[in-house]
Amino acid sequence: MRLILLAILAMSFPAIAREDMPAKAWLENMSQALREQEFKISLIQLQADHIRPLVYIHGKVNDEEVAFLEHLNGPPKNAVRVGNTVTFIEHDQPAYSVHSSRIQGVIPAALADDVSKLEQGYQFVLGGRSRIAGRPGQLVRIIPTDTNRYGYQVWLDMDTYLPLRFDMISVDKQLLEQLLVVELIVLDEVPAILKEAYKQEWPAVMSQSDRDSGEDWQFSWLPAGFKVLIKDQHRLIGSKEAVEYIAISDGLANISVYVAKAGEAPLPEELVTRNGLSLATERVGNAEVVAVGKVPAETLSRIAKSIMLQ
């Protein structure tokens, strides 16, 4: 009887204590929880034609963040983060490392960062409450302030503030992608796998391409809040031709832009949209531009048209 009473109190107390907390404060608490707490979550990534089960473990070793992501289906595929270095471990290629503050493809990096940065393109609104993975959750809607990006919904555990569900929503309110936690375990101590990851000698971070001969492409228009993160040179799959690569983001939506001289590299020609991932191609002068990202196709087309050689 005592256990039942404690369980009821645990579920009802957060609702009372947090009744007047604004939406931004919920997100700020989530950001801190994602950086500071030791936890393990089992989750599934849902798209129209894909279901990916994942396990994500996070903790701190010697005051440094350590995280581990495992894909449970298909060939072995893992990622390890120690501080700002992420190492990818796959069965068919040597492990390699990159500089990153988060492991991409699980919880968006912006949700563990300063959420104020998102206010250039989004507003935060409280929604209702529901039970997810056996835990009471608070919904926060992340609503775009324009039609250049999609909206998001995140449910936070009312006890730990950790995310329980994350949805990407189209302009016409259709669900495009979902991360759904099926089990959340708050850990009393850092698990052994993270301690071992911290001690492991991982491959050195890959150096960026030498850009002395790279061309300086700029954008005359980007949606509010979007910034250029990376300029590099990539080689397209199936081609030996190098193309200019530019990565831009507003913290939640990531866009990749590829630029090549017309006819030098086989770039896609059609505009497609699938699972929220859109692609647009444009001819700009004597260059062919391809933009790919989880934003409306019209946004990608306008970005591609705005590129110019500085």
Side-chain angles (χ1 to χ4, degrees), residues 8 18 54 60-61 87 98 128 146 178 209 211 225 229 290:
I8 294 173
R18 295 159 171 78
L54 308 166
K60 300 189 79 172
V61 180
T87 302
V98 298
D146 54 40
Q178 182 180 92
S209 303
R211 288 194 49 82
L229 303 181
V290 176

Side-chain angles (χ1 to χ4, degrees), residues 67-71 76-82 84-106 202-206:
F68 174 77
L69 175 67
E70 180 180 10
H71 293 249
K77 182 180 179 181
N78 304 323
V80 175
R81 180 171 74 90
V82 179
N84 289 324
T85 299
V86 175
T87 302
F88 296 95
I89 309 160
E90 301 182 22
H91 77 292
D92 58 350
Q93 63 180 347
Y96 63 96
S97 301
V98 298
H99 280 304
S100 180
S101 61
R102 296 284 132 188
I103 298 175
Q104 299 297 322
V106 54
W202 299 108
V205 172
M206 298 174 64

Side-chain angles (χ1 to χ4, degrees), residues 286-297:
N286 64 345
E288 291 181 349
V289 184
V290 176
V292 184
K294 292 184 178 181
V295 296

Side-chain angles (χ1 to χ4, degrees), residues 17-18 28 65 72 92 94 108 133 137 142 168 209 216:
R18 295 159 171 78
E28 289 172 336
E65 284 187 75
L72 298 181
D92 58 350
I142 304 175
M168 180 170 66
S209 303
D216 188 14

Side-chain angles (χ1 to χ4, degrees), residues 15-227:
I16 298 172
R18 295 159 171 78
E19 191 68 39
D20 298 323
M21 188 181 296
K24 184 178 179 181
W26 280 93
L27 295 180
E28 289 172 336
N29 285 332
M30 176 182 60
S31 174
Q32 182 178 0
L34 286 170
R35 297 191 309 269
E36 301 293 335
Q37 291 192 36
E38 274 91 28
F39 60 90
K40 174 182 178 181
I41 56 175
S42 299
L43 66 157
I44 52 176
Q45 182 185 45
L46 302 171
Q47 294 177 330
D49 54 358
H50 290 289
I51 298 177
R52 297 185 179 92
L54 308 166
V55 170
Y56 180 74
I57 306 172
H58 177 273
K60 300 189 79 172
V61 180
N62 294 334
D63 291 327
E64 190 165 26
E65 284 187 75
V66 184
F68 174 77
L69 175 67
E70 180 180 10
H71 293 249
L72 298 181
N73 281 1
K77 182 180 179 181
N78 304 323
V80 175
R81 180 171 74 90
V82 179
N84 289 324
T85 299
V86 175
T87 302
F88 296 95
I89 309 160
E90 301 182 22
H91 77 292
D92 58 350
Q93 63 180 347
Y96 63 96
S97 301
V98 298
H99 280 304
S100 180
S101 61
R102 296 284 132 188
I103 298 175
Q104 299 297 322
V106 54
I107 300 169
L111 299 185
D113 198 359
D114 179 6
V115 297
S116 296
K117 297 177 182 178
L118 295 175
E119 290 181 303
Q120 290 181 280
Y122 304 90
Q123 58 180 328
F124 313 134
V125 177
L126 279 180
R129 291 168 179 167
S130 60
R131 188 168 174 265
I132 300 173
R135 293 172 171 268
Q138 171 66 57
L139 169 61
V140 177
R141 292 188 172 91
I142 304 175
I143 302 173
T145 55
D146 54 40
T147 59
N148 296 313
R149 68 204 90 204
Y150 295 135
Y152 302 88
Q153 298 181 151
V154 58
W155 280 260
L156 289 70
D157 177 28
M158 296 181 66
D159 182 27
T160 65
Y161 296 106
L162 291 168
L164 297 173
R165 174 177 162 182
F166 182 79
D167 294 352
M168 180 170 66
I169 308 295
S170 69
V171 176
D172 57 357
K173 311 301 182 185
Q174 298 298 310
L175 178 64
L176 297 173
E177 186 176 358
Q178 182 180 92
L179 288 170
L180 180 64
V181 171
V182 295
E183 184 181 42
L184 166 62
I185 301 174
V186 178
L187 304 172
D188 295 327
E189 60 181 22
V190 180
I193 191 172
L194 297 187
K195 293 179 181 178
E196 289 299 318
Y198 181 81
K199 295 187 294 184
Q200 181 74 28
E201 290 290 334
W202 299 108
V205 172
M206 298 174 64
S207 60
Q208 285 196 358
S209 303
D210 183 357
R211 288 194 49 82
D212 290 342
S213 59
E215 297 178 310
D216 188 14
W217 293 96
Q218 303 287 338
F219 298 96
S220 62
W221 179 84
L222 287 175
F226 276 87
K227 295 179 175 58

